[in-house]
């Protein structure tokens, strides 16, 4: 973080620096946001400040699935209509939002909060992996759906989880690979195409 | 009006970092330009036409447009998949170490064809290598040599005399082998950067540094010795580049 003086007004300077710390916000954008807030009514500014305070005070991690929630266990883990014998393993809370928006999956989740990424110094002990094994051992889990991102890090994490739970009496599945809806076959890459052909399905 | 410059390059993706809404900053080592960073816009979206081509260890033909900050990826096509590591976790960890090692050693926009070919060779050979650890040691030493940091293994770096058939020392500060007689004169403060080396270790290092991979494969080696040497050379690399490689801690056997 630079110690640049953006303004000689200290509160403005502090806020610009705070915005600048956020991902994807450069010094110019931080300045624009700050000066927008200066012009904002006190009521609007208070709403924003309260929203940020509430976020830090009320948002917690579910002790069971590690998803972001305001109650513990989270609403998904508490929902008795969901099938708790199927756990979908995802990388981060946004993936839960994406899968939930499909309305197809009726099981519960386990959020890893990362993937095994050696080049970032992240190993298996740095993500919520071993909690998953405890969860499987404790509950009546019948299926584990591995829904990590389809890239090298996601695949390696999937392979690691597979090795970890292979001895348990459990069905292990992972999300299908293939072509996206509305995509052109001619633009598909080698890996996607080969996985799509491998995972082809019988019609009728 | 300034002319927009585009270039087509042959390269291997080392890694990529997620930036912005759906973009990736791709770090790639190319035959023509050495290492450089380029921005691939929108490639994290499932319908991206380029995303699947920008995975590590794929040799690609990439077209980039040079802009003020980062070159923008305009097109990518796979030439060949040099290694598919998805199902083998230890191999994945080792290959990530190799990629990080390469990334930390080579400078941006500095062409070095020999290093590019070495990396390509190691990726292609990795899955069929009879002794993966030997290949890692081979890569470490060849890379050090090509970057001008190859350790002196034939003569004592202090007195320049040829080495006798006895245990020696390997000094990081000195950049090579120190004979037992010169070791007496080394200051105690440097002892943290000095490792005792038996003759077998020195022989293995010399072979890895000088021989081709095909010839190296014909030698019978002890896996444990190779593992220790990888750690020592990794420590030497840490000393040379003055920082620890993040993936190096996964090289400890049985860590994962």
């Amino acid at each position: 973080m630079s110690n640049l003086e953006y303004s000689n007004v200290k509160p403005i300077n502090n806020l610009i620096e705070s915005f600048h710390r956020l991902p994807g916000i450069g010094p110019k954008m931080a300045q624009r946001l700050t000066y927008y807030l200066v012009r904002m009514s006190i009521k609007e500014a208070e709403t924003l400040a309260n929203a940020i305070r509430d976020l830090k005070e009320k948002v917690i991690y579910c002790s069971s699935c590690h998803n972001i929630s305001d109650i513990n266990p989270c609403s998904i883990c508490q929902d008795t209509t969901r099938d708790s014998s199927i756990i979908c393993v995802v990388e981060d809370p946004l993936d839960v939002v994406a899968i939930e928006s499909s309305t197809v999956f009726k099981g519960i989740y386990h959020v890893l909060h990362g993937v095994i990424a050696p080049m970032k110094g992240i190993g298996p002990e740095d993500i919520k992996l071993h909690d998953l094994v405890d969860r499987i051992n404790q509950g009546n889990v019948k299926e584990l759906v591995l829904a990590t991102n389809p890239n090298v890090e996601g695949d390696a994490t999937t392979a690691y989880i597979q090795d970890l739970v292979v001895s348990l009496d459990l069905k292990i599945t992972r999300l299908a690979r293939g072509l996206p809806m509305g995509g052109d076959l001619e633009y598909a890459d080698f890996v996607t195409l080969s996985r799509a052909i491998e995972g082809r399905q019988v019609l009728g | 009006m300034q002319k927009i410059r585009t270039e087509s390059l042959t390269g291997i993706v080392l890694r990529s970092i997620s930036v912005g809404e759906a973009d990736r900053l791709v770090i790639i080592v190319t035959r023509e330009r050495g290492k450089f960073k380029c921005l691939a816009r929108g490639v994290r979206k499932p319908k991206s036409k380029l995303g699947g081509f920008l995975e590590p260890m794929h040799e690609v033909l990439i077209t980039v447009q040079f802009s003020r900050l980062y070159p923008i990826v305009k097109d990518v096509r796979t030439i060949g998949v040099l290694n598919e590591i998805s199902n083998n976790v230890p191999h994945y960890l080792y290959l990530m170490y190799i990629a990080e090692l390469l990334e930390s050693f080579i400078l941006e926009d500095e062409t070095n064809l020999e290093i590019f070919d070495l990396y390509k060779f190691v990726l292609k050979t990795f899955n069929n290598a009879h002794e993966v650890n030997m290949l890692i040691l081979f890569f470490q030493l060849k890379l050090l040599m090509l970057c001008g940091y190859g350790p002196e293994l034939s003569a004592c770096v202090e007195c320049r005399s040829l080495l006798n058939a006895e245990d020696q020392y390997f000094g990081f500060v000195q950049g090579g082998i120190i004979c037992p007689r010169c070791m007496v004169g080394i200051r105690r403060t440097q002892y943290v950067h000095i490792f005792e080396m038996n003759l077998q270790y020195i022989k293995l290092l010399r072979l890895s540094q000088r021989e081709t991979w095909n010839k190296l494969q014909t030698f019978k080696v002890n896996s444990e010795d190779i593992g220790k040497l990888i750690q020592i050379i990794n420590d030497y690399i840490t000393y040379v580049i003055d920082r620890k490689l993040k993936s190096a801690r996964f090289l400890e056997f049985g860590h994962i």
Side-chain angles (χ1 to χ4, degrees):
Chain A
M1 185 68 215
S2 66
N3 292 320
L4 286 174
E5 282 286 322
Y6 298 101
S7 163
N8 51 9
V9 184
K10 209 179 168 193
I12 288 181
N13 216 33
N14 289 344
L15 192 58
I16 291 173
E17 282 199 0
S18 299
F19 276 133
H20 188 21
R21 282 196 201 105
L22 298 177
I25 295 188
K28 276 278 168 203
M29 174 68 90
Q31 263 178 331
R32 269 201 292 274
L33 288 170
T34 305
Y35 281 95
Y36 178 79
L37 287 176
V38 169
R39 291 191 295 273
M40 204 182 231
S41 72
I42 188 89
K43 200 181 166 193
E44 280 178 305
E46 269 175 4
T47 310
L48 179 67
N50 289 337
I52 295 170
R53 191 182 303 115
D54 281 358
L55 182 82
K56 293 314 292 175
E57 284 176 0
K58 293 178 184 167
V59 171
I60 51 168
Y61 291 103
C62 172
S63 58
S64 178
C65 69
H66 301 291
N67 192 14
I68 288 171
S69 175
D70 54 349
I71 47 169
N72 190 20
C74 69
S75 55
I76 294 175
C77 290
Q78 277 187 24
D79 190 345
T80 51
T81 62
R82 299 187 79 109
D83 185 355
S84 61
S85 68
I86 306 175
I87 296 181
C88 179
V89 181
V90 294
E91 286 180 23
D92 63 61
L94 277 174
D95 297 334
V96 175
V97 177
I99 295 175
E100 280 299 284
S101 67
S102 74
T103 69
V104 176
F105 183 68
K106 298 294 176 202
I108 54 173
Y109 294 92
H110 186 90
V111 185
L112 295 174
H113 290 277
V115 275
I116 300 170
M119 288 173 90
K120 293 175 192 158
I122 303 171
E125 68 274 27
D126 302 313
I127 56 177
K128 309 281 184 194
L129 247 181
H130 292 280
D131 297 28
L132 176 66
V133 181
D134 295 342
R135 241 181 122 185
I136 295 166
N137 287 332
Q138 284 162 13
N140 61 338
V141 181
K142 293 193 179 98
E143 185 179 346
L144 203 62
V145 184
L146 302 174
T148 52
N149 284 332
N151 52 35
V152 173
E153 290 168 355
D155 282 355
T157 309
T158 296
Y160 184 79
I161 297 172
Q162 201 180 346
D163 290 348
L164 207 64
V165 299
V166 76
S167 57
L168 306 173
D169 184 23
L170 196 67
K171 184 179 169 188
I172 308 164
T173 56
R174 80 167 180 196
L175 296 189
R177 298 286 167 85
L179 301 159
M181 194 65 189
D184 275 18
L185 203 71
E186 64 174 303
Y187 289 115
D189 62 278
F190 167 83
V191 180
T192 307
L193 259 181
S194 57
R195 297 264 163 83
I197 291 167
E198 278 164 21
R200 68 189 185 277
Q201 291 182 354
V202 180
L203 295 176
Chain B
M1 207 175 115
Q2 199 188 351
K3 201 182 165 192
I4 297 167
R5 190 164 57 97
T6 56
E7 271 183 38
S8 282
L9 309 161
T10 310
I12 304 166
V13 175
L14 291 175
R15 67 178 172 128
S16 56
I17 304 156
S18 297
V19 290
E21 192 78 8
D23 309 339
R24 275 187 194 280
L25 188 64
V26 181
I27 300 161
I28 187 166
V29 56
T30 62
R31 189 174 273 277
E32 299 84 357
R33 276 187 158 265
K35 180 181 81 173
F36 78 101
K37 292 182 187 131
C38 50
L39 188 69
R41 288 203 171 124
V43 290
R44 279 151 62 204
K45 291 179 182 169
K47 281 187 192 172
S48 161
K49 289 169 186 170
L50 306 179
F53 296 100
L54 291 166
E55 284 297 303
M57 277 154 274
H58 287 201
E59 190 181 14
V60 292
L61 183 67
I62 188 168
T63 306
V64 287
Q65 187 180 75
F66 288 85
S67 63
R68 270 193 307 175
L69 191 60
Y70 291 115
I72 310 289
V73 179
K74 287 290 170 190
D75 191 39
V76 204
R77 287 290 166 264
T78 305
I79 298 172
V81 178
L82 300 173
N83 203 300
E84 273 202 282
I85 50 169
S86 52
N87 294 324
N88 192 327
V89 180
H91 276 198
Y92 163 69
L93 296 171
Y94 289 140
L95 286 165
M96 290 295 109
Y97 169 76
I98 288 173
E100 192 184 0
L101 182 58
L102 184 72
E103 191 193 332
S104 52
F105 255 103
I106 52 175
L107 301 171
E108 287 200 26
D109 293 321
E110 197 174 271
T111 313
N112 192 324
L113 213 59
E114 282 177 293
I115 292 178
F116 180 84
D117 287 339
L118 172 70
Y119 184 50
K120 189 176 163 182
F121 172 78
V122 168
L123 289 184
K124 280 174 95 170
T125 315
F126 202 87
N127 286 355
N128 301 320
H130 72 295
E131 179 68 70
V132 168
N133 287 335
M134 192 72 208
L135 188 62
I136 294 170
L137 184 67
F138 171 80
F139 180 75
Q140 284 177 324
L141 287 162
K142 292 285 183 204
L143 185 67
L144 281 166
M145 284 277 284
L146 292 171
C147 295
Y149 294 104
E152 172 59 73
L153 301 168
S154 311
C156 170
V157 281
E158 292 286 320
C159 64
R160 310 305 305 168
S161 60
L162 290 175
L163 303 173
N164 296 331
E166 58 185 337
D167 287 357
Q168 313 281 341
Y169 297 87
F170 182 60
F172 294 173
V173 182
Q174 293 76 8
I177 300 293
I178 307 164
C179 68
R181 283 156 298 284
C182 292
M183 188 60 200
V184 180
I186 300 286
R187 276 188 293 167
R188 270 190 180 277
T189 49
Q190 288 186 11
Y191 280 12
V192 282
H193 295 307
I194 290 174
F195 282 85
E196 210 172 331
M197 285 257 164
N198 62 36
L199 284 176
Q200 180 63 12
Y201 281 10
I202 297 170
K203 194 180 159 196
L204 279 169
L205 287 179
R206 272 189 205 151
L207 286 171
S208 306
Q209 196 177 51
R210 289 173 193 167
E211 299 297 344
T212 61
W213 176 246
N214 283 341
K215 196 160 182 197
L216 203 58
Q217 280 193 103
T218 58
F219 295 107
K220 270 201 161 188
V221 290
N222 181 328
S223 266
E224 215 172 292
D225 286 349
I226 299 293
K228 280 179 187 158
L229 283 172
I230 290 174
Q231 290 289 358
I232 293 171
I233 297 301
N234 183 62
D235 290 344
Y236 175 57
I237 287 165
T238 305
Y239 176 80
V240 169
I241 61 174
D242 200 21
R243 73 174 179 89
K244 274 190 175 177
L245 296 176
K246 285 177 180 169
S247 54
R249 72 177 170 117
F250 303 106
L251 285 186
E252 289 166 28
F253 299 95
H255 173 87
I256 196 153

